[in-house]
Amino acid sequence: MNEFRLDGKVALVSGAARGLGAATAATLAAGGAKVVIGDLLDDAGKATAASLGDALYVHLDVTKEADWEAAIAAAVKRFGGLDIEVNNAGVETTSLLENCTLEDFNFTMNVNVTGTFLGVKHAIRAMKPGGIAGRGGSIVNISSVAGLKGSLALGAYCASKGGARLLTKAAAVECGRLNYGIRVNSVHPGMVNTEMGAKVLTDFLKLGLVPDVATAEAAFEAAHLLGRGRPQDIANGVFYLASDAAKWITGTELVVDGGFAVA
Ligand SMILES: NC(=O)c1ccc[n+]([C@@H]2O[C@H](COP(=O)([O-])OP(=O)(O)OC[C@H]3O[C@@H](n4cnc5c(N)ncnc54)[C@H](O)[C@@H]3O)[C@@H](O)[C@H]2O)c1
């Protein structure tokens, strides 16, 4: 089933120094893609790229338009194209809305929505016919279950992930209507144990919403019908949407959450 392989494709994954992005980059590379890792964390990003063999690390702050232009140009220069972009970089702030500072709200929106917008914008420019890559492609935006339903103390994060979800659909419509050969989809992870996943638990404790981290962990785990998920589970979903196996899929949302959103 060659449609489940990525040989000959070039992928750029933002926020891939660690966590879900690193797992995604490794999975895309294992499937045959040449991978470019973009992140703010230069040392960790270089180490992740080195662990993948023939992979490239670029410093990429997703909120900076010039960084996107340079990252995509570097991918095309090094590997000859851009077929897959995973807008994975994200931040999470935990606060009751009544206490959420404007600074925290804007920070969350800036990385998760503006950063995704800039990634989508420059991927479309590069991938569309006549662009510097020019052979179409697949854009996958990492939203969240928090982009599908409300959550206690995650209002800013929910707003940002809901924004990324609808941005995805608008981009899918544009790329489809304009016959660019570019598919755009979103992935909605449930709670997975990364630095961000662990931070949510300790933040709930700091806000006095749970008596201890173990209780918070048990509650989140119980909310997922299939128990605890792994970064690999999210990476597998991204891989599918990135691959030609999903070539008739655009504008959709793939919920990879062990049944959290439906329960
Ligand atoms: N872990 C979860 O439970 C979970 C659940 C749902 C959605 N998500 C989403 O998955 C994505 C990855 O999350 P994670 O759990 O791996 O988090 P993480 O904090 O472990 O990793 C996030 C990565 O993004 C990078 N990053 C942050 N701001 C950036 C910026 N401005 N420019 C470039 N890189 C930046 C960080 O340096 C880090 O390497 C995020 O979009 C997150 O919102 C995570």
Side-chain angles (χ1 to χ4, degrees):
M1 291 287 281
N2 286 343
E3 290 185 338
F4 284 96
R5 292 281 311 170
L6 302 175
D7 304 288
K9 294 187 189 290
V10 180
L12 169 58
V13 186
S14 72
R18 71 181 190 208
L20 303 185
T24 298
T27 303
L28 299 179
K34 297 294 186 195
V35 174
V36 180
I37 286 173
D39 209 295
L40 298 171
L41 305 174
D42 294 335
D43 290 344
K46 283 177 194 162
T48 302
S51 74
L52 301 182
D54 190 18
L56 176 68
Y57 172 76
V58 293
H59 181 88
L60 169 64
D61 179 341
V62 296
T63 66
K64 301 221 161 78
E65 192 150 21
D67 280 14
W68 274 110
E69 289 170 331
I72 290 174
V76 173
K77 185 168 178 225
R78 170 75 176 266
F79 294 125
L82 182 70
D83 306 283
I84 298 162
E85 183 178 282
V86 185
N87 289 302
N88 164 82
V91 294
E92 179 276 327
T93 48
T94 318
S95 171
L96 295 179
L97 281 166
E98 64 195 85
N99 298 327
C100 184
T101 64
L102 183 58
E103 191 185 10
D104 272 1
F105 188 83
N106 285 343
F107 169 67
T108 311
M109 295 298 280
N110 196 30
V111 178
N112 297 356
V113 183
T114 306
T116 303
F117 152 66
L118 289 173
V120 166
K121 171 181 173 178
H122 288 282
I124 293 173
R125 285 187 174 206
M127 292 173 173
K128 74 177 192 178
I132 59 169
R135 52 193 190 216
S138 172
I139 301 171
V140 182
N141 296 328
I142 306 303
S143 177
S144 170
V145 166
L148 300 172
K149 62 182 214 172
S151 175
L152 178 66
L154 292 174
Y157 186 69
C158 287
S160 72
K161 291 301 185 176
R165 171 177 173 268
L166 248 308
L167 176 71
T168 302
K169 295 184 195 306
V173 171
E174 277 192 20
C175 292
R177 292 276 182 238
L178 299 173
N179 292 317
Y180 282 173
I182 303 171
R183 300 182 294 102
V184 194
N185 294 289
S186 55
V187 167
H188 299 257
M191 182 94 150
V192 178
N193 191 14
T194 60
E195 295 209 19
M196 183 185 290
K199 175 184 172 297
V200 174
L201 300 178
T202 51
D203 284 353
F204 268 59
L205 180 63
K206 280 185 207 154
L207 291 178
L209 298 171
V210 291
D212 51 60
V213 167
T215 305
E217 205 166 7
F220 273 114
E221 193 163 330
H224 295 71
L225 301 179
L226 302 181
R228 191 182 288 263
R230 310 161 301 161
Q232 187 65 54
D233 297 314
I234 311 306
N236 291 346
V238 176
F239 184 102
Y240 170 63
L241 291 173
S243 77
D244 289 342
K247 68 180 166 196
W248 206 44
I249 296 181
T250 196
T252 200
E253 44 201 47
L254 179 57
V255 184
V256 187
D257 71 340
F260 181 33
V262 83

